[in-house]
Amino acid sequence: MSTLGSARKKGGSMLELQAPELQHFCTLEVEVGPVRPMGMGRLGQRRIIPIIGGTVSGPRLGGRILPGGADWMTTSHEGVALMDARYAFETEDGAIIEMTDQGFRHGPEDVMRQLVAGEPVPPTEYYMRSSVRLESGHPDYTYLNRMVFVGTGAKTPAGVQVSVYAVM
């Protein structure tokens, strides 16, 4: 008998853990600059997408996205875009918050071709999800450093929209 099996038989019972809940935290409307193709890398086609501005709004945060960040995107040979974005925003009360957003975007080949060409595509036609990390040294926002966030996104004419949810 395995050790795990015997541990359960000796009185250990598995705990009932509740599934986490998601609470809408904020929405980012990210404006991007011209894409900088890097060519083929080890893992696929590489591009740098500069982040030049935008807005943050929602029940927990509001402010403006600062220029200077970028998404270092790699598109695999399977057509999956690996997003790796890092940027910062300033809240309405002056705090600076860093955001790291890493995830995946994929869908049917024709849909992805339309997205890359800048054509409008409903977000229900493709998958765009990410894990988000928010970090700040501002005393009013250090609670962000201890939270887990996920994002759902969509490509827009000006860049991307990301809805951020706190995992509770």
Side-chain angles (χ1 to χ4, degrees):
M1 180 177 285
S2 75
T3 306
L4 180 60
S6 61
R8 284 192 182 146
K9 281 193 171 215
K10 291 182 181 177
S13 61
M14 193 171 292
L15 299 172
E16 283 285 327
L17 300 176
Q18 296 297 314
E21 294 179 22
L22 299 179
Q23 288 184 357
H24 183 244
F25 200 78
C26 65
T27 298
L28 292 88
E29 294 180 68
V30 183
E31 298 170 14
V32 301
V35 175
R36 304 289 305 245
M38 291 179 57
M40 187 61 71
R42 289 187 307 274
L43 303 174
Q45 194 66 33
R46 303 291 314 273
R47 300 183 298 159
I48 302 170
I49 304 163
I51 295 169
I52 60 172
T55 60
V56 180
S57 61
R60 301 284 300 268
L61 286 176
R64 66 183 184 95
I65 297 171
L66 302 173
D71 185 351
W72 295 73
M73 185 178 284
T74 302
T75 302
S76 75
H77 67 281
E78 297 172 328
V80 176
L82 291 84
M83 303 173 297
D84 186 6
R86 182 173 292 215
Y87 47 105
F89 54 89
E90 183 176 12
T91 63
E92 293 161 344
D93 58 356
I96 302 295
I97 297 174
E98 176 189 24
M99 180 165 167
T100 303
D101 189 6
Q102 297 176 318
F104 301 101
R105 185 179 72 200
H106 58 81
E109 192 174 322
D110 60 322
V111 168
M112 300 315 291
R113 196 172 16 261
Q114 291 172 327
L115 276 179
V116 171
E119 298 174 24
V121 177
T124 55
E125 298 294 315
Y126 57 96
Y127 179 93
M128 187 171 169
R129 303 290 186 271
S130 59
S131 60
V132 174
R133 190 176 73 237
L134 300 176
E135 186 172 341
S136 180
H138 191 284
D140 293 342
Y141 293 93
T142 56
Y143 71 93
L144 297 173
N145 304 339
R146 301 181 300 271
M147 295 181 71
V148 174
F149 299 94
V150 294
T152 184
K155 196 164 181 328
T156 65
V160 295
Q161 179 178 318
V162 180
S163 289
V164 177
Y165 296 87
V167 180
M168 307 306 282

